[in-house]
């Protein structure tokens, strides 16, 4: 399996589309920086805002700007395997379904971590370069690190969900349309239902993207178990369901017996 992971990471590293997604993320991060700086420091005289890395960190996940590039890349990358018949080629070489499935999945998780680290690094470098002359910057390193770890785990759960979606719909254009349809409709309906029912814990937060979007910088101890359970559920259940479907899929035409 280790060789499979290394092979997939090499393919991703050589994939130009992945670097285009990184550039798109860097563009979004620069927009975040300018927007947050204008809304806080630039208007400090009117609103009393201060330069806060804590607030900026939470602001990074306030919409789908980090979600969109990795969604496009993962769905396109996985769909290409079905189009190019990568499964059959590797089966001929004796790669088992188990090693192929989890080797590719773990490589995608590692890619998600690298994508997020790059995005965080770009965002913090840009905002700190703008705030270099600020006399005081609010910052709690432990809180920020803990928050980012939870967010990275949310993205791993989302990556697992996309992996399941790719196993169900192995066609690039269709699966992309379905993924973005879900992103839009789940946001609209789950938030409206929660508002109508006046729920303290929004139904939107049971959707992994909604959990990331609405997660607070310092979640209360009472809500932390719900957050961790939701993340674990999105990592384990989609992975298990996808593996069961992959085992049943008709990919044995050229597979070694």
């Amino acid at each position: 399996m280790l060789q499979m992971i290394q092979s997939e990471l090499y393919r991703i590293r050589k994939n130009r589309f992945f670097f285009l997604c990184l550039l798109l993320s860097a563009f979004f991060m620069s927009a975040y920086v300018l927007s947050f700086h204008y809304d806080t420091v630039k208007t400090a005289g009117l609103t009393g805002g201060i330069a806060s890395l804590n607030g900026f960190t939470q602001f990074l996940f306030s919409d789908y700007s980090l979600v969109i590039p990795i969604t496009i890349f993962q769905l396109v990358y996985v769909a290409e395997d079905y189009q190019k018949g990568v499964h059959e080629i590797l089966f001929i070489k004796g790669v088992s379904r188990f090693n192929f499935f989890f080797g590719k999945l773990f490589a995608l998780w590692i890619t998600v971590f690298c994508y997020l680290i790059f995005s965080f690094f770009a965002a913090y470098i840009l905002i700190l370069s703008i705030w270099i002359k600020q006399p005081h910057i609010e910052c709690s390193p432990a809180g920020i690190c803990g928050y980012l770890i939870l967010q990275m785990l949310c993205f791993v759960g989302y990556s697992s969900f996309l992996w399941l979606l790719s196993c169900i719909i192995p066609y690039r254009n269709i699966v992309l349309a379905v993924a973005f349809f879900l992103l839009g409709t789940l946001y609209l309906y789950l938030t409206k239902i929660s508002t109508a029912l006046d729920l303290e814990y929004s139904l939107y937060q049971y959707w992994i993207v909604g959990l990331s979007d609405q997660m607070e910088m310092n979640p209360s101890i009472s809500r932390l178990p719900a957050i961790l359970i939701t993340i674990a559920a999105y990592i384990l259940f989609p992975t298990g369901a996808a593996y069961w479907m992959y085992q049943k899929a008709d990919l044995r035409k050229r597979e070694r017996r």
Side-chain angles (χ1 to χ4, degrees):
M1 184 188 298
L2 182 60
Q3 291 182 344
M4 186 67 201
I5 295 173
Q6 292 174 337
S7 174
E8 287 298 314
L9 291 176
Y10 178 80
R11 286 183 60 203
I12 292 171
R13 185 165 59 88
K14 294 295 183 179
N15 192 309
R16 294 181 180 179
F17 188 61
F18 176 64
F19 288 96
L20 288 176
C21 289
L22 289 180
L23 289 176
L24 179 60
S25 174
F27 170 78
F28 286 146
M29 293 303 99
S30 62
Y32 271 136
V33 168
L34 295 176
S35 177
F36 188 80
H37 176 68
Y38 177 81
D39 291 340
T40 55
V41 177
K42 280 291 185 180
T43 58
L46 299 175
T47 65
I50 62 172
S52 171
L53 278 183
N54 296 346
F56 176 69
T57 300
Q58 186 169 330
F59 183 70
L60 290 176
F61 303 92
S62 59
D63 62 19
Y64 290 169
S65 294
L66 275 173
V67 173
I68 290 173
I70 199 63
T71 299
I72 296 173
F73 169 74
Q74 180 168 330
L75 294 179
V76 170
Y77 180 75
V78 175
E80 285 182 350
D81 281 357
Y82 290 98
Q83 294 175 353
K84 295 179 180 179
V86 174
H87 307 80
E88 289 87 350
I89 295 173
L90 292 176
F91 291 158
I92 287 177
K93 296 181 179 180
V95 177
S96 68
R97 289 197 178 205
F98 179 88
N99 287 340
F100 179 86
F101 180 91
F102 285 101
K104 193 172 189 70
L105 179 60
F106 291 158
L108 288 172
W109 286 354
I110 294 171
T111 302
V112 168
F113 278 118
C114 294
Y115 163 80
L116 290 174
I117 290 172
F118 169 83
S119 300
F120 298 156
F121 182 78
Y124 287 124
I125 288 295
L126 287 171
I127 196 68
L128 289 176
S129 64
I130 293 177
W131 288 350
I132 193 169
K133 295 183 179 181
Q134 289 296 317
H136 173 70
I137 298 177
E138 181 187 44
C139 177
S140 57
I144 290 175
C145 289
Y147 182 78
L148 291 180
I149 289 172
L150 286 176
Q151 288 287 1
M152 293 173 81
L153 292 176
C154 283
F155 273 76
V156 169
Y158 179 60
S159 177
S160 301
F161 174 80
L162 292 178
W163 179 245
L164 172 61
L165 200 61
S166 297
C167 291
I168 297 173
I169 310 172
Y171 305 102
R172 181 180 61 189
N173 294 336
I174 298 176
V175 75
L176 281 170
V178 170
F180 283 103
F181 174 79
L182 288 174
L183 285 174
T185 55
L186 287 175
Y187 170 77
L188 290 174
Y189 284 101
L190 292 179
T191 51
K192 286 184 178 180
I193 292 172
S194 299
T195 302
L197 297 176
D198 195 23
L199 297 176
E200 182 180 355
Y201 192 83
S202 173
L203 291 175
Y204 185 51
Q205 295 184 64
Y206 290 104
W207 161 231
I208 192 66
V209 177
L211 177 64
S212 171
D213 183 26
Q214 297 191 352
M215 189 186 301
E216 299 175 352
M217 169 60 70
N218 295 306
S220 62
I221 299 300
S222 61
R223 290 189 176 182
L224 191 57
I227 292 173
L228 295 176
I229 290 172
T230 303
I231 292 173
Y234 273 91
I235 293 175
L236 298 176
F237 289 129
T239 300
Y243 183 66
W244 180 83
M245 293 182 61
Y246 194 76
Q247 288 287 81
K248 300 295 183 180
D250 184 18
L251 299 171
R252 298 179 179 273
K253 295 178 180 178
R254 297 170 62 183
E255 184 177 6
R256 281 187 176 180
R257 303 271 182 182

